Amino acid sequence: MSPARENNTTVGHKNGCARLLPRADQEGAKRDQDQRVRCGNLKTCHNKILSPIQTYRSPLTMNTNPSGRREARSSSEESISEDSDNEIDENENDNEDESKDSDDIENNAESGFNCTEDFCEIQLDDKFWHRYRVNVPDGTDLEKCEQCTISMEVIYDGESWVSIAFSKDGGMVGSEAVIGIMGENGNIPQKYYLGGKGDLQIQPMPLSQQTLTDATIEVSNGQTIMKFTKVMKEDGEIEINGGDNTFLWAYGSSNTLGYHPAKSPYNLNLSTGSSEVSDRSDRAAWLAHGIMAFMAWGVLVPLAVQSSLLRDLLPKGPLWFHLHRAFNAISYVLTVAVFAVAVRYYNKEGEDHFDDPHQKMGLAMFILASAQVLGGLLRPHAPDPGKDKKPARFAWEIGHRAMGITLLACGFWQILEGIELFAKKFEVEETNEDKVELAYLVWVGLMSVVIVVGGAFFKFRKRDSVKTSSEETEAIEKGNIECA
């Protein structure tokens, strides 16, 4: 922890999270130290585990020097820190009152502090803090908040670009951000549209939308500090309301906009000050969706095709058919599960169904796969040995094979598209996404080579075998005629 952050007093925060309150003097801090507040059971607050007894730190008081740089006055730091240590020792022996103190957190969050009068502060990372105050003009309230603005400060314990973004769903793509980069734009933070994860897709908004006021970014005592005031409701932009909002935070590794070593979405209620890490619990469901799809269309269906085309490698008899049928049956069951997960979680997330190419392809594949299975069950019987195929059987075999290869190709494309969508939705690092895509493409290439090369080899070998057998038969018949 840097010296400039050590002088804070932490009070109860709704949902078990901590909120740091500024105080004007040492006397006020000592009064607050007597108001011991617990966090209840172990809870996670923005990647930081809070102990059952919330610890306290001495107050942070700020002033502004002529150049506008924020400085921490720590003249009383030593004496107050000793008192804080004594408080911690006493608190560690009071675990029997946890439930009562958990209620105190609720009361403090709802009535103990007003984020429209003073700055609320949240620690999002070991090196990253977010401070904010809602500015409510006369004639309105926090619920309606007409013409409200929000003043924000971001403090990063290091030197790098920093960012706070406003999001509808907790995802980076499609969000809008305020990014501060030292040495650019006259050290004035700018509003950006996050159209994608690539550098070229992160573009400043038009000049007409650069409406921030009091916007600055500076480095002081090894800390990067960004300040700005933003109108909460602006035409054509994501609205910030007085209740629940989803924000994202990030910082880089240098003053060049690019890779961010740390980032996360979080939910923040501006009226109560309560905050929590954004719930991305649907990630497990969508991961299961992708894994089942890969097993069905990346593994089982290719094996089903190979068991038919490469049947000459298997023992003679119906073994190839049993394998072909089993692989296809399991893959269809997985396909039904994949489809059900997609429908269920699109409903949960309030998204439109079958609205993009991946969804439309998934629906088409589900319908065609169902038709393929039904066709397999109702197929015309194979001819008896030595007899010719009937036209219905011949037509069915052509259609069955063509449909199977088409579905396999669509499945290969669909899985690759799914990897990209998952990475976009859940902010997977681009390097990790590239590794997964490369491994998948290698696997697809291997399966394709086995199917195309192996299938062609055995097809031609079988044709040559039939031709040779036919020539031998003709030679024998011819010899018998000459002998006669």
Side-chain angles (χ1 to χ4, degrees):
M1 188 68 64
S2 66
R5 311 307 307 161
E6 290 176 353
N7 301 329
N8 293 295
T9 301
T10 308
V11 302
H13 202 280
K14 193 175 181 180
N15 297 331
C17 297
R19 183 172 67 216
L20 306 180
L21 309 183
R23 257 163 297 278
D25 54 30
Q26 177 178 343
E27 183 180 0
K30 286 182 173 293
R31 289 197 303 269
D32 288 334
Q33 285 177 346
D34 292 334
Q35 300 173 0
R36 297 193 299 273
V37 183
R38 311 265 172 74
C39 281
N41 296 327
L42 285 175
K43 296 186 179 182
T44 302
C45 177
H46 305 298
N47 305 321
K48 183 178 179 65
I49 301 298
L50 301 178
S51 61
I53 307 302
Q54 179 60 58
T55 59
Y56 294 79
R57 289 170 290 188
S58 53
L60 176 67
T61 55
M62 297 291 180
N63 69 348
T64 304
N65 62 19
S67 64
R69 307 175 88 180
R70 299 170 76 243
E71 296 177 347
R73 295 201 304 266
S74 57
S75 59
S76 58
E77 179 178 333
E78 294 182 0
S79 61
I80 298 176
S81 63
E82 291 176 0
D83 293 336
S84 298
D85 292 338
N86 293 334
E87 290 290 343
I88 295 170
D89 294 337
E90 294 176 6
N91 289 340
E92 288 176 347
N93 297 322
D94 294 334
N95 291 334
E96 67 275 8
D97 295 327
E98 284 183 1
S99 60
K100 178 180 180 299
D101 289 331
S102 295
D103 294 336
D104 291 341
I105 294 172
E106 188 82 15
N107 295 332
N108 271 293
E110 293 182 354
S111 60
F113 197 75
N114 188 344
C115 297
T116 65
E117 296 178 356
D118 296 288
F119 276 85
C120 290
E121 181 176 289
I122 308 164
Q123 183 172 353
L124 299 170
D125 181 79
D126 290 340
K127 299 181 178 181
F128 199 88
W129 294 263
H130 177 205
R131 304 182 72 231
Y132 71 92
R133 183 185 66 207
V134 181
N135 308 307
V136 182
D138 295 336
T140 187
D141 54 31
L142 192 57
E143 183 176 353
K144 295 180 180 178
C145 224
E146 297 296 334
Q147 303 301 315
C148 285
T149 63
I150 184 167
S151 296
M152 292 191 174
E153 297 181 10
V154 170
I155 303 101
Y156 166 60
D157 201 0
E159 296 186 23
S160 173
W161 63 265
V162 293
S163 173
I164 288 289
F166 318 105
S167 175
K168 293 181 179 179
D169 58 5
M172 170 184 170
V173 179
S175 299
E176 298 161 2
V178 174
I179 303 176
I181 308 172
M182 281 295 297
E184 293 192 12
N185 304 310
N187 291 337
I188 298 176
Q190 299 284 298
K191 293 160 67 175
Y192 287 76
Y193 176 70
L194 308 182
K197 293 187 292 183
D199 293 346
L200 296 178
Q201 296 170 300
I202 301 174
Q203 295 294 326
M205 291 186 180
L207 187 60
S208 60
Q209 292 181 266
Q210 298 295 344
T211 56
L212 301 178
T213 58
D214 302 321
T216 63
I217 182 169
E218 63 179 0
V219 175
S220 178
N221 298 325
Q223 292 181 323
T224 301
I225 303 169
M226 178 175 71
K227 302 179 185 179
F228 63 88
T229 297
K230 183 186 184 303
V231 177
M232 293 173 62
K233 299 179 181 179
E234 299 188 77
D235 292 339
E237 298 183 21
I238 295 174
E239 180 179 310
I240 304 172
N241 61 68
D244 292 322
N245 298 271
T246 300
F247 295 151
L248 298 94
W249 61 270
Y251 58 82
S253 54
S254 69
N255 283 320
T256 300
L257 186 61
Y259 172 72
H260 34 63
K263 65 184 188 311
S264 180
Y266 65 103
N267 297 325
L268 177 62
N269 188 299
L270 297 181
S271 61
T272 65
S274 64
S275 58
E276 61 184 2
V277 175
S278 180
D279 181 14
R280 307 305 296 270
S281 58
D282 292 353
R283 179 188 179 105
W286 286 114
L287 182 61
H289 170 88
I291 291 173
M292 289 190 295
F294 172 73
M295 289 302 300
W297 295 97
V299 178
L300 293 172
V301 172
L303 289 177
V305 174
Q306 291 168 11
S307 65
S308 176
L309 294 177
L310 310 181
R311 67 184 72 176
D312 289 343
L313 295 177
L314 300 172
K316 292 186 179 298
L319 176 61
W320 74 267
F321 175 74
H322 294 318
L323 291 174
H324 181 78
R325 182 173 57 185
F327 289 143
N328 278 323
I330 298 172
S331 69
Y332 182 70
V333 171
L334 288 174
T335 299
V336 173
V338 166
F339 189 80
V341 168
V343 172
R344 166 70 177 84
Y345 280 88
Y346 271 119
N347 278 336
K348 179 181 178 182
E349 296 170 2
E351 299 286 343
D352 294 333
H353 289 289
F354 316 120
D355 193 43
D356 62 39
H358 185 77
Q359 297 174 30
K360 293 175 182 177
M361 177 64 79
L363 175 62
M365 287 183 62
F366 179 71
I367 294 172
L368 292 177
S370 300
Q372 182 80 331
V373 170
L374 184 62
L377 295 174
L378 302 178
R379 66 189 181 279
H381 291 294
D384 295 329
K387 294 186 177 181
D388 294 332
K389 296 176 183 178
K390 294 182 178 180
R393 174 72 186 192
F394 186 75
W396 176 85
E397 287 185 359
I398 293 176
H400 185 74
R401 291 169 183 169
M403 181 72 77
I405 295 298
T406 300
L407 281 169
L408 180 60
C410 291
F412 284 163
W413 178 87
Q414 184 78 334
I415 295 171
L416 182 61
E417 183 78 2
I419 294 172
E420 295 175 354
L421 289 173
F422 183 89
K424 174 181 175 181
K425 184 178 183 69
F426 295 106
E427 306 297 325
V428 176
E429 292 294 343
E430 193 168 349
T431 53
N432 293 333
E433 179 188 352
D434 291 342
K435 290 177 182 177
V436 173
E437 287 185 353
L438 178 61
Y440 172 70
L441 291 174
V442 170
W443 173 261
V444 168
L446 178 62
M447 293 292 99
S448 299
V449 167
V450 172
I451 290 173
V452 174
V453 176
F457 172 78
F458 284 103
K459 187 73 173 178
F460 285 121
R461 195 177 78 163
K462 184 176 181 180
R463 182 178 298 175
D464 290 342
S465 175
V466 172
K467 182 179 179 180
T468 301
S469 177
S470 177
E471 290 175 350
E472 289 176 351
T473 301
E474 290 178 0
I476 293 172
E477 291 177 351
K478 184 178 180 180
N480 289 335
I481 291 172
E482 291 177 350
C483 290

